[in-house]
């Protein structure tokens, strides 16, 4: 309940401060929730770099509170008017509050693998430890993820009490702030703002292909895809809402900086947003284009510098706190830099030394644009068709002159950036994936749909800005009704974030219960090798998330003689089998003996072994090395590793029933 109360109070504080700023600066109130929330998250980030994360949280919240008090004293009546008359601000407050209450009642849990490897694990570590995760021992490499989602989460969970549903609600609050920026219109266009907000809200469902009857977690997950889409699109919508003029223009830098800290690809997204802003400053004004070029560069360049600075700051930080880890940005098993990858990819695109795999990927990517479903109406071609129709409607509804040039510039600029992004992902498939995964275009939908969504959101925002005339209002009404109608007819999932999906969590809850019993025996710096016979890596990932200690990677292949690692390969989870039964389990199997297992633990500095599930092979071959022996079926047990030469190398430290004496 404390988590819900804090989330609602902080959301209300953001809403009131937005009304205060609107009263002070005479701008639409809906433009302010996004920069305010981004400013608070960036303040936490800056404070966390030298190790004062929690201080940064309370300084940020304190600043929001001080602004609220000042506004109530100095601009109280006008602030109330701005609050009640702004449809975008009221939708932000209502939408965020509704999501907080629904998620509190349902309390959904994480269930996607990447939430346990990075996107859910990172904010959990930040909330519980009160510092950025690279500075703490744990199950996350410094270069694996970026901190934006963690910074937003810790603002809404400052008391070191972690809740997964609270993380989801915090990111949804950021999403509502971005949608508010898209719907930021003068008060007399209230209905237009509502239409833009409503259509924008369903875009994550519209640009998806959720199978019938499956759980649709668009607003109930910790992945960076939703923040990526909305921060990219929201930054551009904020710029368009502010008109690119006056001091308020510089508020755009705040969501751009947070966008850059969202995901590794987001440095490119941040630069694309700056390019689009500069393009608009150059082509969409009233003065001749040749006279606008240098002023456009002068205004866009500081945004690019801010994006580059925050990107470099994260790399410098991870390199400083984890000097023994590989934290430099690289691609593929060969560790190539992005520059080398881009240069090599461009050469192959031009036909210089093109290899067979690259040629096959070119053909696959071309066909995928038409055949791989990325929206309710079909593939990428259908998605671009929908966006083009929305752009045409925005052009039709806009006034002649600068407003129409803005629509054309935005659409063509986004189309150009999409083509570049598409080719970049072709190159990444070649360099960053194994052949089987590359030729299957693994993650194709997930990598590209955030861009489609942001592109459509920008067109909706421009439609709303042109809704002052009857023609513009009609165009907006037609497009928003089409989006909502298609969603209602074909996209409403059988189970969405509003439904009870408790049956999905049976396996998670089993691991959670076991880990809770074993954690009192562990410290964060302890290294634990997890063995769960018959696992497909799911339980292993769950333990990485739930255990206090650091879960060590296992190995695959064959390792049957101590010192002979010629057939041993890097791996993560392990199913141990004997040399004469290498296909016992359907998943990966590791041929291993008791002697080589102990040698590997000593080699990698493991302190403990967690035996989650045993089987006949372990009970027969490994029992003499474990205190009390092993059985085919036994409770989850944590063993302390005493060394290869100990009389009993593995002694019981804890079992499901509690910590051993």
């Amino acid at each position: 309940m404390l988590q819900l109360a804090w989330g609602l109070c902080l959301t209300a504080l953001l809403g009131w401060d937005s009304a205060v700023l609107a009263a002070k600066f005479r701008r639409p109130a809906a433009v302010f929730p996004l920069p305010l929330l981004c400013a608070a998250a960036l303040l936490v980030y800056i404070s966390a770099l030298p190790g004062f994360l929690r201080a940064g949280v309370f300084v940020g919240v304190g600043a929001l509170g001080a602004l609220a008090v000042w506004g109530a004293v100095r601009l109280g009546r006008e602030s109330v008017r701005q609050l009640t008359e702004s449809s975008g601000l009221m939708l932000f407050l209502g939408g965020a509050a509704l999501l907080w209450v629904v998620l509190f009642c349902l309390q959904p849990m994480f269930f996607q693998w990447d939430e346990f490897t990075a996107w859910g694990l990172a904010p959990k570590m930040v909330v519980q430890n009160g510092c950025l995760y690279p500075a703490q021992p744990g199950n996350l490499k410094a270069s694996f993820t970026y901190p934006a989602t963690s910074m937003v989460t810790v603002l809404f969970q400052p008391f070191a009490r972690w809740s997964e549903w609270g993380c989801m609600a915090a990111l949804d609050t950021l999403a509502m702030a971005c949608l508010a920026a898209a719907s930021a219109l003068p008060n007399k266009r209230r209905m237009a703002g509502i239409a833009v907000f409503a259509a924008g809200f369903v875009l994550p469902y519209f640009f998806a292909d959720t199978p019938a009857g499956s759980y649709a977690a668009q607003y109930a997950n910790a992945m960076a895809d939703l923040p990526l889409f909305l921060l990219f699109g929201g930054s551009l919508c904020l710029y368009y809402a502010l008109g690119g003029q006056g001091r308020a223009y510089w508020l755009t830098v705040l969501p751009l900086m947070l966008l850059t800290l969202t995901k590794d690809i987001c440095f490119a997204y941040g630069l694309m947003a700056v390019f689009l802003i500069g393009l608009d400053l150059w082509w969409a004004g009233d003065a001749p284009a040749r006279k606008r070029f240098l002023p456009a560069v002068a205004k866009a360049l500081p945004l690019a510098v801010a994006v580059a600075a925050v990107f470099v700051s994260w790399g410098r930080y991870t390199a400083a706190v984890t000097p023994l880890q590989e934290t430099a940005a690289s691609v593929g098993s060969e560790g190539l830099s992005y520059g080398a990858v881009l240069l090599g990819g461009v050469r192959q695109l031009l036909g210089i030394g093109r290899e067979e795999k690259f040629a096959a990927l070119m053909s696959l990517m071309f066909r995928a644009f038409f055949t791989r479903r990325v929206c309710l109406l079909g593939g990428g071609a259908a998605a671009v068709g929908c966006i083009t129709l929305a752009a045409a409607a925005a052009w039709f509804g806009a006034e002649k002159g600068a407003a129409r040039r803005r629509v054309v510039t935005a659409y063509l600029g986004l189309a150009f950036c999409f083509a570049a992004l598409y080719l970049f992902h072709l190159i990444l498939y070649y360099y960053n994936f194994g052949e089987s995964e590359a030729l299957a275009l693994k993650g194709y939908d997930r990598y590209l749909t955030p861009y489609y969504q942001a592109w459509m959101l920008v067109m909706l925002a421009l439609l709303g800005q042109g809704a002052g005339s009857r023609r513009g209002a009609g165009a907006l009404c037609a497009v928003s009704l089409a989006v909502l109608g298609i969603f209602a007819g074909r996209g409403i999932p059988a189970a969405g974030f509003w439904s009870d999906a408790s049956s999905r969590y049976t396996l998670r809850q089993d691991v959670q219960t076991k880990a809770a019993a074993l954690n009192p025996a562990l410290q964060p710096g302890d290294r634990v090798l997890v063995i769960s016979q018959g696992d497909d890596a799911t339980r292993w990932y769950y333990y990485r998330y739930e255990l206090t200690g650091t879960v060590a990677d296992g190995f695959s292949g064959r390792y049957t003689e101590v010192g002979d690692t010629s057939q041993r390969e890097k791996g993560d989870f392990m199913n141990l089998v004997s040399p004469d039964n290498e296909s016992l389990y359907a998943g990966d199997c590791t041929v291993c003996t008791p002697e080589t297992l102990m040698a590997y633990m000593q080699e990698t500095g493991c302190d403990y072994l967690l035996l989650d599930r045993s089987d006949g092979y372990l009970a027969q071959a490994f029992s003499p090395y474990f205190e009390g022996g092993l059985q085919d079926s036994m409770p989850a047990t944590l063993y302390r590793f005493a060394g290869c030469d100990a009389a009993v190398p593995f002694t019981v430290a804890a079992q499901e029933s509690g910590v051993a004496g």
Side-chain angles (χ1 to χ4, degrees):
M1 186 59 74
L2 176 63
Q3 173 67 81
L4 176 63
W6 178 267
L8 292 176
C9 287
L10 187 53
T11 300
L13 187 60
L14 289 168
W16 174 251
D17 284 349
S18 298
V20 169
L21 293 176
K24 175 67 176 176
F25 296 108
R26 304 299 176 184
R27 297 280 184 170
V31 303
F32 292 107
L34 177 57
L36 280 173
L37 183 52
C38 291
L42 289 168
L43 178 60
V44 175
Y45 171 70
I46 293 170
S47 303
L49 293 177
F52 303 106
L53 183 143
R54 294 210 194 280
V57 172
F58 291 108
V59 168
V61 175
L64 293 174
L67 176 60
V69 173
W70 178 86
V73 173
R74 297 291 299 273
L75 300 167
R77 182 176 298 177
E78 179 62 18
S79 298
V80 170
R81 188 179 70 83
Q82 291 287 343
L83 180 66
T84 56
E85 291 185 358
S86 172
S87 62
L89 184 58
M90 294 304 293
L91 286 168
F92 161 71
L93 291 170
L98 176 64
L99 287 166
W100 273 98
V101 171
V102 170
L103 292 173
F104 169 73
C105 293
L106 298 177
Q107 302 213 353
M109 302 172 69
F110 299 152
F111 66 91
Q112 300 178 80
W113 275 14
D114 283 354
E115 290 176 301
F116 302 103
T117 59
W119 301 115
L121 181 57
K124 178 186 179 184
M125 292 174 65
V126 170
V127 168
Q128 291 184 334
N129 299 327
C131 66
L132 292 170
Y133 48 84
Q136 240 354 71
N139 296 312
L140 193 62
K141 294 181 179 179
S143 60
F144 198 81
T145 188
Y146 279 65
T149 55
S150 299
M151 299 300 95
V152 174
T153 299
V154 79
L155 272 173
F156 289 90
Q157 299 191 43
F159 306 113
R161 296 182 62 182
W162 168 249
S163 70
E164 294 175 10
W165 71 266
C167 172
M168 299 173 188
L171 298 181
D172 288 344
T173 305
L174 175 64
M176 296 303 102
C178 294
L179 292 177
S183 62
L185 299 170
N187 292 338
K188 61 182 179 181
R189 302 184 196 170
R190 180 171 300 187
M191 295 307 299
I194 294 173
V196 172
F197 193 99
F201 183 86
V202 305
L203 287 182
Y205 299 103
F206 186 89
F207 289 95
D209 187 29
T210 305
S214 63
Y215 186 70
Q218 277 86 339
Y219 287 98
N221 69 86
M223 307 289 282
D225 303 327
L226 183 70
L228 164 57
F229 141 50
L230 284 164
L231 280 170
F232 179 56
S235 298
L236 294 171
C237 293
L238 178 64
Y239 162 77
Y240 293 130
L242 294 171
Q245 303 296 326
R247 289 175 295 177
Y249 162 80
W250 300 107
L251 290 175
T252 311
V253 76
L254 297 170
L256 285 175
M257 293 172 71
L258 193 66
L259 166 66
T260 306
L261 292 173
T262 300
K263 207 174 179 182
D264 51 0
I265 191 66
C266 285
F267 180 50
Y269 271 87
L271 293 179
M272 284 191 293
V274 172
F275 167 75
L276 292 164
I277 290 171
L279 202 62
D280 180 82
L281 290 168
W282 183 19
W283 284 103
D286 292 320
R290 65 179 183 277
K291 293 184 178 180
R292 295 196 302 266
F293 178 74
L294 290 180
V297 171
K299 293 189 75 171
L301 188 58
L303 300 182
V305 171
V307 166
V310 75
F311 176 76
V312 170
S313 72
W314 179 246
R316 294 288 181 87
Y317 172 77
T318 55
V321 299
T322 55
L324 299 181
Q325 289 192 28
E326 177 56 51
T327 58
S330 61
V331 176
S333 58
E334 297 180 8
L336 298 175
S337 67
Y338 280 123
V341 166
L342 189 60
L343 181 60
V346 170
R347 287 172 58 88
Q348 296 215 51
L349 280 172
L350 296 175
I352 303 173
R354 182 180 296 167
E355 298 184 11
E356 183 179 350
K357 177 183 175 182
F358 194 89
L361 285 171
M362 287 181 64
S363 177
L364 287 170
M365 287 287 282
F366 176 79
R367 292 199 300 269
F369 182 69
F370 299 94
T371 59
R372 291 284 288 264
R373 292 182 65 87
V374 296
C375 73
L376 295 177
L377 298 180
V384 172
C386 293
I387 294 166
T388 302
L389 290 174
W395 181 88
F396 175 77
E399 297 292 334
K400 293 181 179 179
R404 285 190 169 180
R405 285 199 299 274
R406 167 163 287 176
V407 173
V408 172
T409 301
Y411 174 78
L412 294 179
L414 283 161
F416 172 79
C417 291
F418 174 74
L421 187 70
Y422 203 82
L423 292 176
F424 182 66
H425 278 91
L426 162 63
I427 295 169
L428 283 184
Y429 273 120
Y430 176 77
Y431 284 102
N432 203 37
F433 287 84
E435 186 166 357
S436 60
E437 292 182 334
L439 295 178
L441 299 184
K442 181 181 178 181
Y444 174 90
D445 306 346
R446 183 183 160 198
Y447 296 147
L448 294 172
T449 50
Y451 193 94
Y452 290 124
Q453 293 165 355
W455 194 354
M456 186 66 167
L457 183 65
V458 170
M459 294 300 106
L460 288 171
L462 293 176
L463 259 170
Q465 291 188 12
S469 65
R470 181 177 299 178
R471 181 176 57 188
L476 173 61
C477 181
V479 172
S480 58
L481 286 177
V483 171
L484 294 169
I486 293 171
F487 166 69
R490 303 183 62 179
I492 294 180
F497 72 91
W498 54 83
S499 65
D500 183 7
S502 56
S503 60
R504 302 187 65 87
Y505 310 134
T506 303
L507 183 58
R508 263 220 64 197
Q509 290 168 336
D510 178 56
V511 172
Q512 194 175 59
T513 300
K514 291 175 167 57
L518 306 178
N519 276 334
L522 294 171
Q523 297 297 321
D526 294 333
R527 289 179 58 80
V528 185
L529 187 68
V530 175
I531 304 294
S532 183
Q533 296 292 80
D535 187 22
D536 61 355
T538 301
R539 296 180 71 86
W540 186 83
Y541 277 123
Y542 288 172
Y543 272 115
R544 288 185 81 242
Y545 176 83
E546 299 288 356
L547 282 180
T548 298
T550 302
V551 173
D553 287 341
F555 62 90
S556 60
R558 298 174 59 89
Y559 187 32
T560 56
E561 295 184 17
V562 176
D564 182 9
T565 61
S566 58
Q567 299 182 67
R568 192 181 80 189
E569 301 174 358
K570 289 184 178 180
D572 35 50
F573 76 106
M574 297 193 298
N575 287 313
L576 305 185
V577 297
S578 62
D580 57 353
N581 193 4
E582 298 185 28
S583 59
L584 179 62
Y585 296 109
D588 293 340
C589 291
T590 298
V591 178
C592 180
T593 66
E595 292 76 17
T596 55
L597 177 65
M598 292 187 294
Y600 180 78
M601 291 196 62
Q602 189 160 299
E603 174 190 334
T604 54
C606 289
D607 307 291
Y608 293 88
L609 183 145
L610 193 165
L611 185 56
D612 175 56
R613 295 189 301 193
S614 183
D615 67 357
Y617 173 58
L618 295 186
Q620 180 181 5
F622 288 70
S623 281
Y625 302 88
F626 287 77
E627 180 184 357
L630 300 180
Q631 300 172 7
D632 190 352
S633 179
M634 57 183 293
T637 307
L638 182 70
Y639 293 93
R640 184 178 291 105
F641 181 52
C644 299
D645 299 327
V648 182
F650 295 96
T651 58
V652 176
Q655 282 189 321
E656 285 184 59
S657 57
V659 179

